[in-house]
Amino acid sequence: MKAVVYVHGKGGGAAECGHYRPLFGDCEVIGLEYRGDTPWEASPQIRAAIEKLHERFAHITLIANSIGAYLCMHAGIDAMIRKAYFISPIVDMEQLIAGMMRRANVTEKELESEGVIRIASGEELSWAYLCYVRTHPPVWTAPTHILYGEHDDLTPIETVAGFAKTHNVSLTVANGCEHWFHTGEQMRILDDWIKQYEGGNL
């Protein structure tokens, strides 16, 4: 038995897994729902769900989007994953938070003092989160393919390329695409990318 597990990004939901069902006709495609945005909230939920599925399925393919990929890398599930597809993954949360702080003119001292600061974009900066990511680098060993949008404004190409090299995973840069793959053409690019690696399994 084979399963494909989809882990959504921020603002997404498990129902998005329906898009991938036609690509994996011989698999059960499952959307994984989780609560919370931090690794200490969401990652244990992801691990518990994957452990339960691992009891039923000998072959689990993971599709994880944006921060969903980051949370998966903190869930300790890589040994249970046969193959992973990361779409616009967040691979360096410290760098992302530092960039948000810089644009909002928030210093580390201010953030440490306040604990949590809401910035103009509506996002919240958290001192606890910054401390966590500094002491918990992502650990990931599962065979993985990354799809990255050429105009991704959350993760620089140098960062994702460095991650790909360090973790020995493939990296595909989608020309003209941004962080969020959502238009018809962008989803076609995404589908073709998956088909490239699934080959005869489709």
Side-chain angles (χ1 to χ4, degrees), residues 10 20 57 71 90 123 169 199 201:
K10 187 170 184 178
Y20 300 94
F57 299 97
L71 296 172
I90 304 299
E123 299 278 354
V169 303
N201 294 328

Side-chain angles (χ1 to χ4, degrees), residues 5-17:
V5 179
Y6 174 77
V7 180
H8 62 83
K10 187 170 184 178
E16 293 171 5
C17 73

Side-chain angles (χ1 to χ4, degrees), residues 61-75:
T61 295
L62 174 69
I63 303 174
N65 200 348
S66 188
I67 197 172
Y70 179 79
L71 296 172
C72 285
M73 287 190 284
H74 286 267

Side-chain angles (χ1 to χ4, degrees), residues 25 41 86 94-95 123 135 185:
E41 294 172 310
F86 283 174
E94 181 180 358
Q95 182 186 59
E123 299 278 354
T135 54
E185 175 61 16

Side-chain angles (χ1 to χ4, degrees), residues 24-160:
F24 296 92
D26 62 339
C27 301
E28 186 169 339
V29 179
I30 301 161
L32 195 157
E33 198 60 82
Y34 59 87
R35 296 178 303 280
D37 296 321
T38 65
W40 57 88
E41 294 172 310
S43 296
Q45 299 169 47
I46 293 171
R47 180 176 177 84
I50 295 295
E51 284 179 334
K52 199 167 182 180
L53 289 170
H54 191 56
E55 295 173 1
R56 294 174 50 206
F57 299 97
H59 186 296
I60 297 178
T61 295
L62 174 69
I63 303 174
N65 200 348
S66 188
I67 197 172
Y70 179 79
L71 296 172
C72 285
M73 287 190 284
H74 286 267
I77 61 172
D78 39 334
M80 294 180 279
I81 302 301
R82 187 70 62 91
K83 183 193 297 182
Y85 293 102
F86 283 174
I87 304 161
S88 303
I90 304 299
V91 297
D92 190 335
M93 184 62 76
E94 181 180 358
Q95 182 186 59
L96 179 58
I97 293 172
M100 292 169 65
M101 292 172 62
R102 193 165 50 250
R103 289 188 293 274
N105 292 315
V106 173
T107 67
E108 280 199 28
K109 195 170 184 179
E110 289 170 334
L111 186 57
E112 182 179 11
S113 175
E114 294 292 327
V116 175
I117 295 177
R118 182 176 291 275
I119 57 178
S121 66
E123 299 278 354
E124 286 188 347
L125 295 170
S126 162
W127 177 250
Y129 204 161
L130 181 58
C131 291
Y132 179 93
V133 301
R134 284 178 169 167
T135 54
H136 296 78
V139 176
W140 190 252
T141 60
T144 301
H145 305 293
I146 291 176
L147 182 64
Y148 172 86
E150 177 188 19
H151 302 301
D152 191 317
D153 60 353
L154 294 185
T155 303
I157 181 61
E158 296 82 8
T159 300
V160 73

